[in-house]
Amino acid sequence: MYDDERELTGGNASGRVVRVGETVRKPWIDNTPVVQSYLGALRARGVDAPNPLGCDQRGRQVVEYVHGALALDQLPLGREDLLRVGRMIRRIHDASEFFPVPDPDGWKMLLPAENPNLMCHNDLAPWNLLTGDRWVFIDWDAAGPSTRLWDLAYAAQSFGMLFEGQPVDSAARACLLIGCSR
Ligand SMILES: Nc1ncnc2c1ncn2[C@@H]1O[C@H](COP(=O)(O)OP(=O)(O)OP(=O)(O)O)[C@@H](O)[C@H]1O
Ligand SMILES: [Mg+2]
């Protein structure tokens, strides 16, 4: 335990997430080594993703702490913000083309896409987007072989708030903005 270790809340999937100084520590999982090189490759291609910083003395993965406010606390996003998110996703996918696609048979996926052909984030949603001086998708643990369409549809659904009980017209408009701002 580090003196300045602080628990981070907001996620619900992957166990304990803590901040230590300007870093975040999360459990190391099977996919972590490849995901860390994927983050490095995206950054080398100009995508602003958390800097991967390897493993700490307690065997946890370490990534850069990104300052900002979760998009989840700002829903519904307005038109310009939705367009911005759509463009971010386009850039992530374009940069991902340069990363070798892992063998889907050896990759643990919660919701596998059909015919995966691209390394993708797979959880591009308001609960994983930090906004502020930088807009950065965090929580790359679910990254793995998928498709642009799957990743984009998931983002359109989550950012567009295409959920039961939401007004259909505004949800459809928001989904279109995510998908058309390419
Ligand atoms: N790199 C980071 N920089 C800043 N804050 C972060 C970072 N990574 C995680 N956090 C904070 O910690 C919270 C939980 O982290 P994260 O989303 O990675 O965990 P999770 O349990 O995998 O979540 P999820 O339920 O989305 O899968 C986030 O909502 C965010 O507030
Ligand atoms: Mg998360």
Side-chain angles (χ1 to χ4, degrees):
M1 172 73 85
Y2 296 85
D3 286 348
D4 63 345
E5 202 161 284
R6 276 206 295 116
E7 189 132 16
L8 293 170
T9 53
N12 56 30
S14 64
R16 196 156 182 265
V17 185
V18 296
R19 177 177 177 183
V20 180
E22 292 302 302
T23 70
V24 171
R25 319 283 169 123
K26 292 182 72 173
W28 186 278
I29 56 174
D30 289 350
N31 298 345
T32 303
V34 178
V35 171
Q36 289 228 342
S37 11
Y38 177 44
L39 284 172
L42 290 178
R43 288 170 58 84
R45 292 257 158 205
V47 171
D48 192 2
N51 196 11
L53 299 165
C55 186
D56 71 7
Q57 301 94 314
R58 300 181 56 185
R60 299 176 297 191
Q61 59 164 303
V62 186
V63 294
E64 170 195 11
Y65 179 86
V66 179
H67 292 264
L70 272 186
L72 184 63
D73 299 325
Q74 300 160 58
L75 293 178
L77 297 188
R79 179 190 161 82
E80 290 311 311
D81 288 347
L82 289 166
L83 289 170
R84 181 174 183 166
V85 171
R87 283 194 297 270
M88 285 174 72
I89 294 170
R90 173 61 185 256
R91 290 206 189 94
I92 291 168
H93 288 162
D94 286 352
S96 299
E97 294 284 355
F98 296 88
F99 193 79
V101 186
D103 178 2
D105 293 336
W107 200 268
K108 286 183 190 146
M109 293 281 285
L110 202 57
L111 300 167
E114 266 176 47
N115 302 320
N117 58 11
L118 187 75
M119 187 71 171
C120 292
H121 183 289
N122 297 324
D123 196 5
L124 295 172
W127 46 89
N128 285 325
L129 175 64
L130 285 171
T131 65
D133 292 344
R134 296 160 63 189
W135 281 42
V136 179
F137 278 107
I138 57 166
D139 192 5
W140 291 73
D141 293 300
S146 184
T147 62
R148 284 185 188 242
L149 185 60
W150 193 102
D151 219 23
L152 187 61
Y154 183 95
Q157 190 181 24
S158 60
F159 283 97
M161 301 170 69
L162 193 59
F163 305 132
E164 197 180 354
Q166 292 292 324
V168 174
D169 285 357
S170 62
R173 262 195 306 277
C175 288
L176 277 174
L177 287 170
I178 292 278
C180 293
S181 57
R182 317 205 85 208

